[in-house]
């Protein structure tokens, strides 16, 4: 018993030394009549968002005051993250598509101060959703981030190596025009994520019905939903070119042969058949596409040409460090209109991605 207590104390102390807290769902006890009334209200009034003021990717300064007047949805990411952030950003982009209209703002706070400069955040925003004027990505500082984490009740902590440098919450926070937090939603839980959409629409005074819009072609959808951002290099997700007819090993060790039904299922329920070997999860696009759009998108994906592959066993030169790279199935690569470029490491690939022209021969 004493030992258990000692462990609990040790954990509590460790917790207070860092600002490491896992994404906490906010269910506080309704201790006063006022609290109780809020709990019953369709969109609970939670707590005031923290004060902050940070430079944004577009050269502006974004603060609690500058955002006031219109609601915003905030999340927490960093640009070099390879596990959860591409998924979080894909969800952020999805929300931006789902919630058009000028009365809403989107903010992504970087949890990697010092590394995520305004220039890096700008490149990241351009890559994911360049047309979106309502979305701003903010460069933070160590103390600024610490205050932010406390104020939004989220986690952000540097790790000692591993795939990613920072471990952080996957929550999306909804803040109203008065700067009050109205919900913290776990983006990994589809039901909670759906609630975020509904509560935001309710806060904006709209109905919960998705907006009316013309049906989009497979090609437009592929770009609008930033599919290529994860699928462009086989480090994050399997390249999609020439997929139909290929055999895939699933996490369950089963082997499947990709056909159009498999492509559709991957888009709607990606976790049903997860391809082995990728730490990142793919977001589900269920509920976002009409039947015709889903067909158009899966046809488009099924027709993507296989990359003009260099014969396996050949040796290519990494354009960044000039090391020789043996071409194998798992070799790090980037595919573009100009062909396939191979890299010795993710570091070289990321340098190349930031400024390909600097390394072109
Ligand atoms: C956040 C990153 C991400 C985004 C965005 C994304 N995917 Fe994926 N996708 C993955 C990962 C990771 C896998 C492999 C794991 C799995 O099967 O879930 C995958 C698997 C797939 C597969 C199965 C591929 C195979 O080789 O068997 C298809 C098809 C697919 N995605 C299509 C799409 C389409 C279409 C879009 C855009 C609407 C999209 N993906 C957006 C990460 C992503």
């Amino acid at each position: 018993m004493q030992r258990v207590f000692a462990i609990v104390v040790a954990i509590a102390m460790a917790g207070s030394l860092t600002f490491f807290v896992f994404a906490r769902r906010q269910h506080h006890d309704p201790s006063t009549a006022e609290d109780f009334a809020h709990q019953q209200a369709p969109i609970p009034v939670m707590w005031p968002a923290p004060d902050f003021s940070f430079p944004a990717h577009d050269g502006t300064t974004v603060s609690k005051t500058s955002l006031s007047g219109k609601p915003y949805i905030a999340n927490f990411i960093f640009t070099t993250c390879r596990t959860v952030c591409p998924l979080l950003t894909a969800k952020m982009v999805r929300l931006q598509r789902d919630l058009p209209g000028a009365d809403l703002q989107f903010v992504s706070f970087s949890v990697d101060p010092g590394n995520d400069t305004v220039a890096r955040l700008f490149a990241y925003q351009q890559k994911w959703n360049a047309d979106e004027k309502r979305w701003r990505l903010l460069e933070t500082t160590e103390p600024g981030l610490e205050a932010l984490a406390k104020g939004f009740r989220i986690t952000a902590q540097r790790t000692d190596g591993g795939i990613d440098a920072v471990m952080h919450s996957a929550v999306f926070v909804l803040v109203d025009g008065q700067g009050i937090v109205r919900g913290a939603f776990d983006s990994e839980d589809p039901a909670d994520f759906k609630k975020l959409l509904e509560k935001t629409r309710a806060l904006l005074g709209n109905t919960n019905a998705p907006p009316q819009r013309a049906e989009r072609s497979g090609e437009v959808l592929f770009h609008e939903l930033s599919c290529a951002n994860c699928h462009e290099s086989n480090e994050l997700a399997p390249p999609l070119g020439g997929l139909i007819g290929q055999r895939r090993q699933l996490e369950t060790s089963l082997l499947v042969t990709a056909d159009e039904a498999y492509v559709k299922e991957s888009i709607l329920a990606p976790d049903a058949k997860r391809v082995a070997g990728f730490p990142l999860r793919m977001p589900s696009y269920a509920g976002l596409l009409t039947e015709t759009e889903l067909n158009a998108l899966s046809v488009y994906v099924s027709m993507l040409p296989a990359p003009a592959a260099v014969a396996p066993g050949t040796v290519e030169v990494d354009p960044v460090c000039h090391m020789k790279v043996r071409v194998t199935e798992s070799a790090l690569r980037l595919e573009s209109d100009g062909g396939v470029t191979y890299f010795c490491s993710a570091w070289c690939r990321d340098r190349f991605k930031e400024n390909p022209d600097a390394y072109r021969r």
Side-chain angles (χ1 to χ4, degrees), residues 86 227 230-231 236 238 243 248 262 266 274-275 280 282 285:
C227 307
C230 289
H231 284 282
L236 286 182
L243 176 61
R248 283 285 186 255
Y262 170 80
S266 301
R274 277 184 48 80
V275 182
L280 175 68
M282 160 153 167
Y285 292 93

Side-chain angles (χ1 to χ4, degrees), residues 87-146:
L87 178 56
L88 294 179
T89 303
K91 287 179 175 169
M92 189 56 140
V93 169
R94 188 192 155 157
L95 281 173
Q96 292 158 4
R97 306 290 183 201
D98 264 325
L99 296 162
D103 285 340
L104 184 61
Q105 308 167 91
F106 299 91
V107 178
S108 291
F109 292 100
S110 165
V111 291
D112 193 6
N115 288 321
D116 278 346
T117 55
V118 161
R120 282 217 172 144
L121 293 164
F122 177 80
Y124 191 80
Q125 196 270 353
Q126 290 294 300
K127 180 177 164 193
W128 279 93
N129 199 4
D131 313 332
E132 185 54 81
K133 299 278 174 280
R134 299 170 303 165
W135 179 30
R136 272 162 312 155
L137 293 88
L138 310 190
E139 179 184 326
T140 57
T141 58
E142 293 284 354
L145 177 62
E146 190 168 344

Side-chain angles (χ1 to χ4, degrees), residues 304-320:
L304 286 170
V310 183
T314 0
V315 172
E316 286 280 294
V317 174
D318 179 322
V320 180

Side-chain angles (χ1 to χ4, degrees), residues 99-346:
L99 296 162
D103 285 340
L104 184 61
Q105 308 167 91
F106 299 91
V107 178
S108 291
F109 292 100
S110 165
V111 291
D112 193 6
N115 288 321
D116 278 346
T117 55
V118 161
R120 282 217 172 144
L121 293 164
F122 177 80
Y124 191 80
Q125 196 270 353
Q126 290 294 300
K127 180 177 164 193
W128 279 93
N129 199 4
D131 313 332
E132 185 54 81
K133 299 278 174 280
R134 299 170 303 165
W135 179 30
R136 272 162 312 155
L137 293 88
L138 310 190
E139 179 184 326
T140 57
T141 58
E142 293 284 354
L145 177 62
E146 190 168 344
L148 211 58
K150 279 201 189 108
F152 278 119
R153 308 183 188 180
I154 60 111
T155 315
Q157 199 205 11
R158 287 199 187 280
T159 60
D160 310 323
I163 308 183
D164 277 334
V166 186
M167 214 161 123
H168 64 98
S169 300
V171 288
F172 280 62
V173 183
L174 174 63
V175 181
D176 69 17
Q178 284 72 49
I180 308 292
V181 174
R182 304 299 294 271
F185 304 86
D186 179 358
S187 68
E188 310 236 298
D189 172 354
D192 218 33
F193 194 67
K194 192 162 161 249
K195 258 192 238 153
L196 165 61
L197 257 182
E198 290 169 0
K199 301 272 184 214
T200 309
R201 288 205 177 108
L203 195 63
L204 293 168
N206 301 339
T207 65
N208 284 340
Q212 293 291 321
R213 63 178 158 216
E215 279 182 334
R216 295 154 294 176
S217 72
E219 186 177 3
V220 167
L221 283 164
F222 191 79
H223 293 294
E224 275 203 352
L225 299 173
S226 315
C227 307
N229 280 352
C230 289
H231 284 282
E232 71 185 348
S233 98
N234 61 352
E235 197 208 8
L236 286 182
L240 295 175
L243 176 61
I244 298 296
Q246 277 191 37
R247 303 262 278 165
R248 283 285 186 255
Q249 169 134 34
L250 304 182
E251 276 186 344
T252 54
S253 300
L254 284 176
L255 276 176
V256 292
T257 304
D259 56 14
E260 216 178 300
Y262 170 80
V263 172
K264 277 190 192 162
E265 189 182 37
S266 301
I267 297 169
L268 295 182
D271 286 346
K273 293 198 179 75
R274 277 184 48 80
V275 182
F278 296 95
L280 175 68
R281 301 191 94 78
M282 160 153 167
S284 158
Y285 292 93
L288 187 71
L289 310 168
T290 64
E291 192 62 37
T292 323
E293 286 180 331
L294 175 64
N295 285 332
L297 180 59
S298 44
V299 168
Y300 180 80
V301 170
S302 306
M303 309 273 289
L304 286 170
V310 183
T314 0
V315 172
E316 286 280 294
V317 174
D318 179 322
V320 180
C321 68
H322 306 294
M323 247 175 77
K324 290 189 176 141
V325 184
R326 188 160 295 283
V327 176
T328 59
E329 273 260 307
S330 56
L332 283 179
R333 74 189 86 174
L334 275 180
E335 283 160 26
S336 69
D337 298 344
V340 187
T341 312
Y342 290 87
F343 302 91
C344 74
S345 65

